[in-house]
Amino acid sequence: MRNYMKFHEMPVDDLERSLATNFERGLSNDEVKKRRKQHGYNELEEGEKQSALLLFFSQFKDFMVLVLLGATLISGLLGEYVDAIAIMAIVLLNGFLGFFQERKAEKSLQALKELSAPQVMVLRDGDWIKVLSKEIVPGDIIRFGAGDRIGADTRLIEAKSLEIEESALTGESVPVEKNVAPIRESKLSIGDMYNMAFMGTLVTRGSGVGVVVSTGMKTAMGQIADLLQSAESTMTPLQRRLEELGKILILTALLLTALVVVVGIIQGHDLYTMFFAGVSLAVAAIPEGLPAIVTVALSLGVQKMIKRNAIVRKLPAVETLGCASVICSDKTGTMTQNKMTVTKLWSGGKMWGVSGQGYEPAGEFLDGDRSVQPNSEKSFQQLLTFGMLCNHAELKNDGDHYYLDGDPTEGAMLVAAMKAGLTRKSLKTQFKIVHEFPFDSERKMMSVIVEDRNGKKFVVTKGAPDVLLKVSDSILYDNKLQYLSEALRKNVVQAIESMAEQALRTIAVAFKPLQTGTYPLHEMEAEKDLTLVGLQGMIDPPRPEVREAVKQCKKAGIQTVMITGDHAITARAIAKQLGLLTNQSLVLEGYQLNDMSVEELEEVVEKTTVFARVSPEHKLKIVKAFQNRGHIVAMTGDGVNDAPAIKAADIGVAMGITGTDVAKEASSLVLLDDNFTTIKAAIEEGRNIYENIRKFIRYLLASNVGEILVMLFAMLLALPLPLVPIQILWVNLVTDGLPAMALGLDPSEEDVMNRKPRHPKEGVFARGLGWKVVSRGFLIGIVTLMAFMIAYQGQTENLKYAQTVAFATLVMAQLIHVFDCRSDTSVFARNPFENKYLVGAVISSLILMLIVIYYPPLQTVFHTVAIDVKDWLLITGLAAIPTFVWMGSHFTRKSV
Ligand code: ATP
């Protein structure tokens, strides 16, 4: 650890010089470029990646493909060069297809990883900006708050109640309190460096600013390479189930193939032909490519979700999304716009209005309809001044309009003060902030210790009014300091409730002068015996689109629940505006949850639509209660304390904009726009992806059943081979592969959000899928065989002709059947031209089939002959049967 000695020993002032940086402005962009050249990106080296060539060759290590290659070799040795070359070509093509599919899946997963890569707030050229963590260089000034992961090894230059959990490096899970004082001790272990923050460790409380001293592999984290996170398994439950199912299917296919071969030999077919037919059939019938196509479909779905602002961090979530039956969502920022404007002020027994919109610092103060000067009343003046002092938000102007840098609640209070003509600059000349106890959702308040020009210190606190009321014992009322009697308390509560009923978010402001010589070291000491100054009520309008999304979720059998730290009455008013509340809905508050066990909560949880004044730890209880009632729960969160609930939920959802690193790491879904509607969109996509996977499983397996049965029946009936091996391989590659991929891209059915959520334990073949596979597959086999027999007799036993007719019928039957797979109900349920990929795949499969049948050089390869035009009527008619024979039942029963 020699590296850090000099930095932790140095006083803060020396650091600036020794790292050639500027604590006020940070590094310049040019300097960053220079340093990046010297130090490289701030990244930990990952293990070797699989090269493209290796990935390509890995496509051929599949057992069945090896068998096929072996068989090709035999046929080559026997002098069947055309067959050998054709089969080789098909195997290669198959390999390429597999390769491109896997590459695509890999690339989109990689892109996903980059999208959710950690970001850091860094000071560059005088501005705080957000950059990817890998962009930072030594000398950069970075800042972090509770829930952030430290981006690089950093010497602290500012620490406000900063605590960091360093278990990733030290194994010690109790957070360490940090400060900025130099430590004059050269031999220190990492755990004792209280003025350093190390890459990968986690801020659990407070906030800090530090200067980066080392990056990438030179960090303490980089030096213990074996601690690098191992990749998580990304198999989804369905993929796992398919893998197990695959084994059964392989065995069945092999058994049936063996049966075909044995019966064929008994019936007098020659060994060589039957060997080849067996191998080709096994290759065609074994759905070894299924898991790969499922991965591609999942990753394509994931990309679609990105377009709708949802990033899936864990692939299994795609499936779970389709099962979600409850969404527990934060209110502020997710259901509301998080654009706050103070519209009401209450102080000393009087309520004032504030005009103006958004963050524009222009507006009037109103007493009823009458415009008034805020400085006419001392307590109003104080309410606004303290609201600005205990505040980090900054108002910026980009020339056209004002925008906010910081917390919207604080922004609203800042703007209200500015409307009264107060400025940060003038306040700074009067007051100095000497200490801060940062806001957290548990306490629901924050405080600063302020020193005025006479050296007098006092505490200024702002926070949830009911909480502040509890820790105040006096009040500024009628411009006098008064004891907070029961009667006055009632007065305040009335004011709070009247603001809350208008859906206003209410923040109270209080203060306390400090006796000379006393200095509270802990927030518990500071935040007591306060004097209440007043209340600020701000609107946070609901997001207009959420009402409709809530309605759609209801239709889809998904219950929406609002969880908020805000006041119950405010929460109820907003829930009403969003259409969440019904007559039976309950509103539960945090204090009630404290007294309830999970079992007791279970009794009422399904009737509860709003949880108000909750702390993050309540969220876990809520998740558990819903889960115990058999629900699949999506739970949102952004703060460091939300992580356990996010992790425990079936679908943990983190906010992309306001979310902390810990919340994001715990989540399986990140909302890029922090918007409730995006959760609904992700669920819709999740349902659709699952349905699409079901569609191509149905298509592929029915095709395989058809292929095996036509061969098996022919052998049993002592007929010649209805299809030659190369034809089977062709059908497997072209007719099965392309349309199956296109089914993976099928647009969602209109009623996908009108159904109840899928049961998570539902098997792949549920809802009639197994029956459909077997019945349609059976019919495809039968019609192919019929076509073969009719053509064989009609053409005076011209085998090649009959085989070509069988080949054409099989292809056509599958290409018609693929449209039936798009819906659970009927082939007519949907517009067949809606999925243009499918139409393209079907048309190209048809054209390729015609080329194989009519183009002489390929006729030799595929053992085909030109089919008479009149026979196409027979082929098409027979091919349509497996799909259209079910029509009657569709009209009597809606689904089969
Ligand atoms: P949600 O849980 O829906 O996001 P919320 O923003 O109300 O709602 P918290 O951030 O936990 O949840 O805040 C809880 C309460 O703390 C708020 O209702 C408010 O009264 C108070 N509060 C919020 N932000 C601040 C702040 N910056 N300073 C002081 N008090 C705050």
Side-chain angles (χ1 to χ4, degrees), residues 32 43 146 237 263 270 299 315 370 558 570 789:
V32 170
E43 285 174 317
V263 177
D270 73 278
S299 67
L315 213 50
R370 194 168 52 91
I558 304 163
T570 312
M789 283 162 70

Side-chain angles (χ1 to χ4, degrees), residues 630-788:
H631 285 282
I632 299 295
V633 188
M635 167 65 88
T636 70
D638 47 15
V640 56
N641 299 332
D642 289 335
I646 294 182
K647 235 184 217 153
D650 302 278
I651 305 148
V653 186
M655 300 300 141
I657 304 169
T658 56
T660 55
D661 293 345
V662 205
K664 287 183 194 162
E665 283 164 22
S667 70
S668 39
L669 186 74
V670 176
L671 310 180
L672 281 181
D673 56 358
D674 291 11
N675 190 337
F676 175 82
T677 319
T678 306
I679 310 177
K680 191 224 80 188
I683 290 180
E684 194 175 330
E685 286 299 339
R687 286 188 176 193
N688 191 39
I689 293 170
Y690 190 84
E691 286 311 313
N692 284 354
I693 291 176
R694 271 171 57 92
K695 288 174 198 169
F696 64 69
I697 289 179
R698 171 180 164 189
Y699 174 66
L700 283 179
L701 294 188
S703 301
N704 287 354
V705 169
E707 287 155 29
I708 292 191
L709 288 187
V710 65
M711 296 293 277
L712 183 64
F713 290 151
M715 294 304 102
L716 290 173
L717 294 174
L719 294 172
L721 274 186
L723 295 164
V724 295
I726 186 92
Q727 290 168 350
I728 298 178
L729 290 176
W730 170 267
V731 171
N732 184 39
L733 180 76
V734 181
T735 320
D736 290 358
L738 291 180
M741 293 284 293
L743 278 179
L745 293 165
D746 212 28
S748 64
E749 281 183 84
E750 266 166 27
D751 67 342
V752 75
M753 286 303 267
N754 293 345
R755 306 175 194 160
K756 295 271 156 283
R758 188 180 87 243
H759 194 281
K761 292 238 164 66
E762 182 188 288
V764 184
F765 296 116
R767 286 182 273 145
L769 194 94
W771 162 245
K772 281 187 182 136
V773 166
V774 176
S775 55
R776 275 50 163 187
F778 178 81
L779 284 180
I780 291 174
I782 293 286
V783 294
T784 308
L785 192 69
M786 276 168 66
F788 174 72

Side-chain angles (χ1 to χ4, degrees), residues 23-136:
F23 289 174
E24 296 295 315
R25 298 191 51 79
L27 296 174
S28 69
N29 281 329
D30 288 342
E31 184 59 27
V32 170
K33 271 189 204 138
K34 243 189 260 163
R35 293 193 189 195
R36 182 156 322 121
K37 247 190 205 143
Q38 192 187 342
H39 298 278
Y41 278 103
N42 176 34
E43 285 174 317
L44 298 178
E45 283 157 21
E46 282 182 32
E48 298 240 324
K49 275 202 196 129
Q50 197 179 21
S51 72
L53 204 65
L54 229 91
L55 181 68
F56 179 67
F57 282 117
S58 74
Q59 304 299 319
F60 302 99
K61 67 178 195 292
D62 188 85
F63 174 69
M64 287 321 295
V65 175
L66 287 180
V67 172
L68 190 63
L69 284 176
T72 317
L73 192 73
I74 296 174
S75 79
L77 291 176
L78 290 176
E80 300 280 344
Y81 299 121
V82 178
D83 266 3
I85 291 170
I87 293 175
M88 277 301 287
I90 286 191
V91 170
L92 270 178
L93 210 63
N94 215 349
F96 269 115
L97 256 177
F99 169 75
F100 284 118
Q101 278 172 9
E102 266 189 48
R103 270 288 277 243
K104 195 167 168 65
E106 208 174 74
K107 279 219 173 109
S108 65
L109 290 179
Q110 184 61 30
L112 211 62
K113 223 166 114 193
E114 275 166 25
L115 261 176
S116 50
Q119 295 185 318
V120 178
M121 284 303 286
V122 60
L123 185 64
R124 297 260 174 91
D125 276 330
D127 279 323
W128 284 105
I129 53 169
K130 215 175 213 180
V131 299
L132 283 177
S133 165
K134 70 172 192 181
E135 314 253 323
I136 46 186

Side-chain angles (χ1 to χ4, degrees), residues 554 580-587 604 606-609:
K554 202 169 183 181
L580 268 173
L581 283 184
T582 63
N583 291 339
Q584 293 85 39
S585 311
L586 290 181
V587 177
V604 289
E606 283 170 317
K607 287 188 224 114
T608 313
T609 325

Side-chain angles (χ1 to χ4, degrees), residues 444 463-467 496 506 564-568 571 588-591 611-615 618:
K444 299 187 173 47
D466 34 334
V467 179
I496 296 171
T506 314
T564 177
D566 214 336
H567 197 282
L588 277 187
E589 289 195 59
Y591 75 90
F611 291 92
R613 274 289 182 254
V614 295
S615 303
H618 292 131

Side-chain angles (χ1 to χ4, degrees), residues 510-580:
F511 82 110
K512 153 170 95 174
L514 289 172
Q515 305 293 339
T516 336
T518 57
Y519 193 89
L521 293 173
H522 195 272
E523 62 223 17
M524 296 273 272
E525 243 175 282
E527 293 164 348
K528 66 175 191 188
D529 310 329
L530 301 176
T531 302
L532 203 66
V533 180
L535 308 169
Q536 300 203 15
M538 49 198 83
I539 48 160
D540 177 15
R543 290 178 183 264
E545 64 280 17
V546 171
R547 201 183 154 87
E548 180 57 29
V550 167
K551 206 163 127 195
Q552 286 183 18
C553 283
K554 202 169 183 181
K555 254 194 184 166
I558 304 163
Q559 188 182 343
T560 308
V561 176
M562 176 192 280
I563 299 193
T564 177
D566 214 336
H567 197 282
I569 301 178
T570 312
R572 182 195 280 272
I574 293 188
K576 211 175 210 166
Q577 292 176 4
L578 293 173
L580 268 173

